[in-house]
């Protein structure tokens, strides 16, 4: 067998093994899982998640997921906890301890301290009969038959199972809270994902100049307006209403024809009924309209009145595309 085939077979075997382990988790769920979710949901405090080694890394990720979906959470390293960080835990906090074996020395020292403080404790462990499992109020069974590591030593399948159990907790809590896309945007204001959820057309069009000419404007005036406003387009207006649109493409097509343009006006070359969008619409809606009709600009309205232009480049700049 060549090296490439060997590598691919190992990768496929790893994915298959971990996939099977994840699928088995649903069979391990008990009322403890539902009770743990309700405990966190009804808690007046935060969720403190602790672990050591690879489990600590998983704990950090679960903390990030909970925080981003409306459940306040803090990471506390199990080793640091017994050297001062235990002060992170307040009286109303719920503690989640993550450990594959549930019998590590750090866990055996930490768990009694948490119990003495009367905080409720949830275990995510692969050994429900371990010290951690026996001492916790609720046990989320993350048992796996074997690690993907051929020596059955390096945490691989087990940490994947822990992560999936944390995701299941977070999503159940998200649904209980009725956490919406608007809430998500509030917690994710940065980056393209957040912008897709909160950025509106007016946030973009208001940063642009507002190209417009009247119906009887000369071709020279149209060319000057399109050139000066640098959006490749101008609205043709009648009063404060949109009557049509002229793009730089329209101008090129007109100039390529053998016609006398001296007496032409905007209304002679404009396209009527142009694509338009309300300024209060989401920017992502503007993106979908542009993609649907294969255009680069949309005229923007507010209460039926012309208010500006949103350009494809605006969406690219903000990471919407």
């Amino acid at each position: 067998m060549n090296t490439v085939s060997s590598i691919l077979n190992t990768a496929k075997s790893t994915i298959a093994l971990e996939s099977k382990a994840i699928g088995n988790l649903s069979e391990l769920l008990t009322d403890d899982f539902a009770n743990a979710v309700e405990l966190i949901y009804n808690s007046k405090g935060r969720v403190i998640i602790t672990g050591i080694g690879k489990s600590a890394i998983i704990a950090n990720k679960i903390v990030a997921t909970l925080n981003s979906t409306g459940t306040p959470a803090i990471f506390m390293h199990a080793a640091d906890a017994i050297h001062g960080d235990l002060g992170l835990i307040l009286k109303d906090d719920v503690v989640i301890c993550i450990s594959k074996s549930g019998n590590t020395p750090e866990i055996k020292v930490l768990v009694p301290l948490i119990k003495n403080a009367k905080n409720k404790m949830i275990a995510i462990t692969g050994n429900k009969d371990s010290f951690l499992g026996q001492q916790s109020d609720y046990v989320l069974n993350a048992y796996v038959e074997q690690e993907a590591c051929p020596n059955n030593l390096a945490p691989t399948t087990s940490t994947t199972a822990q992560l999936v159990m944390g995701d299941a907790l977070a999503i159940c809590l998200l649904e209980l809270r009725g956490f919406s896309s608007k809430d998500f945007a509030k917690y994710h204001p940065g980056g393209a994902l957040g912008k897709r959820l909160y950025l509106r057309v007016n946030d973009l069009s208001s940063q642009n100049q507002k190209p417009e000419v009247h119906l009887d404007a000369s071709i020279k005036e149209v060319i000057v307006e399109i050139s000066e406003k640098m959006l490749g387009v101008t609205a043709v207006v009648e009063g404060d209403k949109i009557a049509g649109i002229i793009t730089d493409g329209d101008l090129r097509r007109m100039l390529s024809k053998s016609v006398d343009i001296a007496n032409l006006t905007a209304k002679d070359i404009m396209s009527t009924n142009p694509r338009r969008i309300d300024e209060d619409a989401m920017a992502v809606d503007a993106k979908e309209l542009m993609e649907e009709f294969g255009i680069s600009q949309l005229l923007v309205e507010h209460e039926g009145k012309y208010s500006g232009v949103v350009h494809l480049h605006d969406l690219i700049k903000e990471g919407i595309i």
Side-chain angles (χ1 to χ4, degrees), residues 65-89:
T65 301
L66 289 173
N67 279 325
S68 69
T69 52
T71 299
I74 295 177
F75 169 71
M76 179 183 69
H77 197 283
D80 293 336
I82 57 179
H83 293 287
D85 280 5
L86 202 61
L88 284 171
I89 305 176

PDB file of all heavy atoms in Angstrom, residues 65-89:
ATOM      1  N   THR A  65     -18.768  28.819  23.687  1.00  0.00           N
ATOM      2  CA  THR A  65     -20.060  28.547  23.054  1.00  0.00           C
ATOM      3  C   THR A  65     -21.213  29.017  23.930  1.00  0.00           C
ATOM      4  O   THR A  65     -22.171  29.620  23.437  1.00  0.00           O
ATOM      5  CB  THR A  65     -20.204  27.038  22.764  1.00  0.00           C
ATOM      6  OG1 THR A  65     -19.133  26.625  21.913  1.00  0.00           O
ATOM      7  CG2 THR A  65     -21.531  26.746  22.078  1.00  0.00           C
ATOM      8  N   LEU A  66     -21.140  28.750  25.219  1.00  0.00           N
ATOM      9  CA  LEU A  66     -22.199  29.188  26.134  1.00  0.00           C
ATOM     10  C   LEU A  66     -22.298  30.711  26.163  1.00  0.00           C
ATOM     11  O   LEU A  66     -23.391  31.282  26.069  1.00  0.00           O
ATOM     12  CB  LEU A  66     -21.947  28.644  27.543  1.00  0.00           C
ATOM     13  CG  LEU A  66     -22.163  27.144  27.732  1.00  0.00           C
ATOM     14  CD1 LEU A  66     -21.697  26.720  29.134  1.00  0.00           C
ATOM     15  CD2 LEU A  66     -23.622  26.765  27.539  1.00  0.00           C
ATOM     16  N   ASN A  67     -21.156  31.385  26.286  1.00  0.00           N
ATOM     17  CA  ASN A  67     -21.174  32.848  26.330  1.00  0.00           C
ATOM     18  C   ASN A  67     -21.779  33.452  25.074  1.00  0.00           C
ATOM     19  O   ASN A  67     -22.491  34.451  25.127  1.00  0.00           O
ATOM     20  CB  ASN A  67     -19.748  33.382  26.528  1.00  0.00           C
ATOM     21  CG  ASN A  67     -19.296  33.339  27.971  1.00  0.00           C
ATOM     22  OD1 ASN A  67     -20.098  33.539  28.886  1.00  0.00           O
ATOM     23  ND2 ASN A  67     -18.034  33.064  28.189  1.00  0.00           N
ATOM     24  N   SER A  68     -21.496  32.849  23.929  1.00  0.00           N
ATOM     25  CA  SER A  68     -21.979  33.412  22.667  1.00  0.00           C
ATOM     26  C   SER A  68     -23.442  33.084  22.389  1.00  0.00           C
ATOM     27  O   SER A  68     -24.026  33.619  21.451  1.00  0.00           O
ATOM     28  CB  SER A  68     -21.121  32.900  21.504  1.00  0.00           C
ATOM     29  OG  SER A  68     -21.331  31.524  21.295  1.00  0.00           O
ATOM     30  N   THR A  69     -24.020  32.208  23.217  1.00  0.00           N
ATOM     31  CA  THR A  69     -25.426  31.842  23.009  1.00  0.00           C
ATOM     32  C   THR A  69     -26.296  32.191  24.217  1.00  0.00           C
ATOM     33  O   THR A  69     -27.371  31.627  24.399  1.00  0.00           O
ATOM     34  CB  THR A  69     -25.562  30.338  22.683  1.00  0.00           C
ATOM     35  OG1 THR A  69     -24.875  29.559  23.680  1.00  0.00           O
ATOM     36  CG2 THR A  69     -24.966  30.029  21.320  1.00  0.00           C
ATOM     37  N   GLY A  70     -25.814  33.125  25.046  1.00  0.00           N
ATOM     38  CA  GLY A  70     -26.669  33.690  26.078  1.00  0.00           C
ATOM     39  C   GLY A  70     -26.552  33.111  27.469  1.00  0.00           C
ATOM     40  O   GLY A  70     -27.317  33.480  28.363  1.00  0.00           O
ATOM     41  N   THR A  71     -25.597  32.198  27.705  1.00  0.00           N
ATOM     42  CA  THR A  71     -25.405  31.634  29.042  1.00  0.00           C
ATOM     43  C   THR A  71     -24.039  32.060  29.560  1.00  0.00           C
ATOM     44  O   THR A  71     -23.014  31.581  29.064  1.00  0.00           O
ATOM     45  CB  THR A  71     -25.489  30.095  29.015  1.00  0.00           C
ATOM     46  OG1 THR A  71     -26.779  29.696  28.557  1.00  0.00           O
ATOM     47  CG2 THR A  71     -25.260  29.510  30.404  1.00  0.00           C
ATOM     48  N   PRO A  72     -23.980  32.951  30.558  1.00  0.00           N
ATOM     49  CA  PRO A  72     -22.689  33.428  31.070  1.00  0.00           C
ATOM     50  C   PRO A  72     -21.857  32.274  31.637  1.00  0.00           C
ATOM     51  O   PRO A  72     -22.348  31.493  32.456  1.00  0.00           O
ATOM     52  CB  PRO A  72     -23.083  34.415  32.175  1.00  0.00           C
ATOM     53  CG  PRO A  72     -24.487  34.820  31.843  1.00  0.00           C
ATOM     54  CD  PRO A  72     -25.116  33.609  31.218  1.00  0.00           C
ATOM     55  N   ALA A  73     -20.612  32.170  31.190  1.00  0.00           N
ATOM     56  CA  ALA A  73     -19.755  31.068  31.621  1.00  0.00           C
ATOM     57  C   ALA A  73     -18.319  31.544  31.784  1.00  0.00           C
ATOM     58  O   ALA A  73     -17.874  32.482  31.123  1.00  0.00           O
ATOM     59  CB  ALA A  73     -19.824  29.928  30.613  1.00  0.00           C
ATOM     60  N   ILE A  74     -17.590  30.868  32.682  1.00  0.00           N
ATOM     61  CA  ILE A  74     -16.192  31.203  32.961  1.00  0.00           C
ATOM     62  C   ILE A  74     -15.384  29.914  33.036  1.00  0.00           C
ATOM     63  O   ILE A  74     -15.838  28.917  33.611  1.00  0.00           O
ATOM     64  CB  ILE A  74     -16.055  31.979  34.289  1.00  0.00           C
ATOM     65  CG1 ILE A  74     -16.748  33.337  34.201  1.00  0.00           C
ATOM     66  CG2 ILE A  74     -14.586  32.163  34.669  1.00  0.00           C
ATOM     67  CD1 ILE A  74     -16.714  34.120  35.497  1.00  0.00           C
ATOM     68  N   PHE A  75     -14.186  29.936  32.474  1.00  0.00           N
ATOM     69  CA  PHE A  75     -13.290  28.782  32.571  1.00  0.00           C
ATOM     70  C   PHE A  75     -12.421  28.886  33.824  1.00  0.00           C
ATOM     71  O   PHE A  75     -11.928  29.961  34.156  1.00  0.00           O
ATOM     72  CB  PHE A  75     -12.388  28.692  31.339  1.00  0.00           C
ATOM     73  CG  PHE A  75     -11.283  27.688  31.494  1.00  0.00           C
ATOM     74  CD1 PHE A  75     -11.563  26.325  31.491  1.00  0.00           C
ATOM     75  CD2 PHE A  75      -9.966  28.103  31.662  1.00  0.00           C
ATOM     76  CE1 PHE A  75     -10.544  25.383  31.650  1.00  0.00           C
ATOM     77  CE2 PHE A  75      -8.941  27.176  31.811  1.00  0.00           C
ATOM     78  CZ  PHE A  75      -9.235  25.814  31.806  1.00  0.00           C
ATOM     79  N   MET A  76     -12.241  27.775  34.509  1.00  0.00           N
ATOM     80  CA  MET A  76     -11.357  27.709  35.670  1.00  0.00           C
ATOM     81  C   MET A  76     -10.518  26.431  35.550  1.00  0.00           C
ATOM     82  O   MET A  76     -11.053  25.330  35.547  1.00  0.00           O
ATOM     83  CB  MET A  76     -12.169  27.685  36.967  1.00  0.00           C
ATOM     84  CG  MET A  76     -11.319  27.583  38.236  1.00  0.00           C
ATOM     85  SD  MET A  76     -12.340  27.462  39.737  1.00  0.00           S
ATOM     86  CE  MET A  76     -13.045  25.802  39.527  1.00  0.00           C
ATOM     87  N   HIS A  77      -9.215  26.575  35.425  1.00  0.00           N
ATOM     88  CA  HIS A  77      -8.351  25.403  35.313  1.00  0.00           C
ATOM     89  C   HIS A  77      -8.337  24.655  36.640  1.00  0.00           C
ATOM     90  O   HIS A  77      -8.189  25.263  37.699  1.00  0.00           O
ATOM     91  CB  HIS A  77      -6.929  25.822  34.926  1.00  0.00           C
ATOM     92  CG  HIS A  77      -6.097  24.706  34.395  1.00  0.00           C
ATOM     93  ND1 HIS A  77      -5.538  23.747  35.224  1.00  0.00           N
ATOM     94  CD2 HIS A  77      -5.736  24.373  33.133  1.00  0.00           C
ATOM     95  CE1 HIS A  77      -4.868  22.884  34.483  1.00  0.00           C
ATOM     96  NE2 HIS A  77      -4.972  23.235  33.202  1.00  0.00           N
ATOM     97  N   ALA A  78      -8.484  23.354  36.588  1.00  0.00           N
ATOM     98  CA  ALA A  78      -8.592  22.557  37.815  1.00  0.00           C
ATOM     99  C   ALA A  78      -7.345  22.668  38.686  1.00  0.00           C
ATOM    100  O   ALA A  78      -7.437  22.708  39.919  1.00  0.00           O
ATOM    101  CB  ALA A  78      -8.860  21.092  37.466  1.00  0.00           C
ATOM    102  N   ALA A  79      -6.176  22.742  38.049  1.00  0.00           N
ATOM    103  CA  ALA A  79      -4.941  22.850  38.828  1.00  0.00           C
ATOM    104  C   ALA A  79      -4.828  24.220  39.490  1.00  0.00           C
ATOM    105  O   ALA A  79      -4.402  24.334  40.651  1.00  0.00           O
ATOM    106  CB  ALA A  79      -3.737  22.592  37.929  1.00  0.00           C
ATOM    107  N   ASP A  80      -5.208  25.271  38.754  1.00  0.00           N
ATOM    108  CA  ASP A  80      -5.141  26.622  39.312  1.00  0.00           C
ATOM    109  C   ASP A  80      -6.190  26.833  40.403  1.00  0.00           C
ATOM    110  O   ASP A  80      -5.997  27.653  41.308  1.00  0.00           O
ATOM    111  CB  ASP A  80      -5.338  27.656  38.208  1.00  0.00           C
ATOM    112  CG  ASP A  80      -4.186  27.668  37.217  1.00  0.00           C
ATOM    113  OD1 ASP A  80      -3.076  27.252  37.601  1.00  0.00           O
ATOM    114  OD2 ASP A  80      -4.402  28.082  36.061  1.00  0.00           O
ATOM    115  N   ALA A  81      -7.297  26.111  40.297  1.00  0.00           N
ATOM    116  CA  ALA A  81      -8.394  26.288  41.256  1.00  0.00           C
ATOM    117  C   ALA A  81      -7.938  26.011  42.679  1.00  0.00           C
ATOM    118  O   ALA A  81      -8.319  26.717  43.627  1.00  0.00           O
ATOM    119  CB  ALA A  81      -9.557  25.371  40.892  1.00  0.00           C
ATOM    120  N   ILE A  82      -7.101  24.994  42.849  1.00  0.00           N
ATOM    121  CA  ILE A  82      -6.669  24.627  44.209  1.00  0.00           C
ATOM    122  C   ILE A  82      -5.468  25.454  44.662  1.00  0.00           C
ATOM    123  O   ILE A  82      -4.908  25.223  45.734  1.00  0.00           O
ATOM    124  CB  ILE A  82      -6.348  23.120  44.303  1.00  0.00           C
ATOM    125  CG1 ILE A  82      -5.270  22.721  43.293  1.00  0.00           C
ATOM    126  CG2 ILE A  82      -7.624  22.313  44.064  1.00  0.00           C
ATOM    127  CD1 ILE A  82      -4.899  21.244  43.347  1.00  0.00           C
ATOM    128  N   HIS A  83      -5.103  26.452  43.838  1.00  0.00           N
ATOM    129  CA  HIS A  83      -4.018  27.362  44.213  1.00  0.00           C
ATOM    130  C   HIS A  83      -4.498  28.808  44.144  1.00  0.00           C
ATOM    131  O   HIS A  83      -3.720  29.703  43.836  1.00  0.00           O
ATOM    132  CB  HIS A  83      -2.806  27.156  43.307  1.00  0.00           C
ATOM    133  CG  HIS A  83      -2.136  25.827  43.482  1.00  0.00           C
ATOM    134  ND1 HIS A  83      -1.368  25.515  44.587  1.00  0.00           N
ATOM    135  CD2 HIS A  83      -2.162  24.716  42.714  1.00  0.00           C
ATOM    136  CE1 HIS A  83      -0.923  24.278  44.483  1.00  0.00           C
ATOM    137  NE2 HIS A  83      -1.397  23.763  43.347  1.00  0.00           N
ATOM    138  N   GLY A  84      -5.783  29.014  44.398  1.00  0.00           N
ATOM    139  CA  GLY A  84      -6.291  30.382  44.502  1.00  0.00           C
ATOM    140  C   GLY A  84      -7.469  30.721  43.621  1.00  0.00           C
ATOM    141  O   GLY A  84      -8.298  31.563  43.984  1.00  0.00           O
ATOM    142  N   ASP A  85      -7.590  30.072  42.464  1.00  0.00           N
ATOM    143  CA  ASP A  85      -8.658  30.429  41.535  1.00  0.00           C
ATOM    144  C   ASP A  85     -10.037  29.950  41.977  1.00  0.00           C
ATOM    145  O   ASP A  85     -11.045  30.273  41.342  1.00  0.00           O
ATOM    146  CB  ASP A  85      -8.370  29.880  40.136  1.00  0.00           C
ATOM    147  CG  ASP A  85      -7.378  30.759  39.383  1.00  0.00           C
ATOM    148  OD1 ASP A  85      -6.879  31.714  39.995  1.00  0.00           O
ATOM    149  OD2 ASP A  85      -7.109  30.479  38.198  1.00  0.00           O
ATOM    150  N   LEU A  86     -10.091  29.197  43.049  1.00  0.00           N
ATOM    151  CA  LEU A  86     -11.378  28.746  43.572  1.00  0.00           C
ATOM    152  C   LEU A  86     -12.267  29.932  43.932  1.00  0.00           C
ATOM    153  O   LEU A  86     -13.500  29.827  43.978  1.00  0.00           O
ATOM    154  CB  LEU A  86     -11.160  27.857  44.793  1.00  0.00           C
ATOM    155  CG  LEU A  86     -12.272  26.885  45.190  1.00  0.00           C
ATOM    156  CD1 LEU A  86     -12.542  25.898  44.074  1.00  0.00           C
ATOM    157  CD2 LEU A  86     -11.906  26.154  46.470  1.00  0.00           C
ATOM    158  N   GLY A  87     -11.618  31.083  44.171  1.00  0.00           N
ATOM    159  CA  GLY A  87     -12.366  32.293  44.486  1.00  0.00           C
ATOM    160  C   GLY A  87     -13.230  32.785  43.342  1.00  0.00           C
ATOM    161  O   GLY A  87     -14.072  33.675  43.529  1.00  0.00           O
ATOM    162  N   LEU A  88     -13.049  32.222  42.148  1.00  0.00           N
ATOM    163  CA  LEU A  88     -13.901  32.576  41.010  1.00  0.00           C
ATOM    164  C   LEU A  88     -15.343  32.149  41.229  1.00  0.00           C
ATOM    165  O   LEU A  88     -16.273  32.742  40.691  1.00  0.00           O
ATOM    166  CB  LEU A  88     -13.387  31.895  39.733  1.00  0.00           C
ATOM    167  CG  LEU A  88     -12.143  32.469  39.052  1.00  0.00           C
ATOM    168  CD1 LEU A  88     -11.680  31.524  37.949  1.00  0.00           C
ATOM    169  CD2 LEU A  88     -12.460  33.845  38.468  1.00  0.00           C
ATOM    170  N   ILE A  89     -15.530  31.102  41.998  1.00  0.00           N
ATOM    171  CA  ILE A  89     -16.853  30.519  42.146  1.00  0.00           C
ATOM    172  C   ILE A  89     -17.669  31.292  43.179  1.00  0.00           C
ATOM    173  O   ILE A  89     -17.286  31.394  44.347  1.00  0.00           O
ATOM    174  CB  ILE A  89     -16.770  29.035  42.572  1.00  0.00           C
ATOM    175  CG1 ILE A  89     -15.893  28.252  41.591  1.00  0.00           C
ATOM    176  CG2 ILE A  89     -18.157  28.430  42.643  1.00  0.00           C
ATOM    177  CD1 ILE A  89     -15.671  26.806  41.996  1.00  0.00           C
TER     178      ILE A  89
END
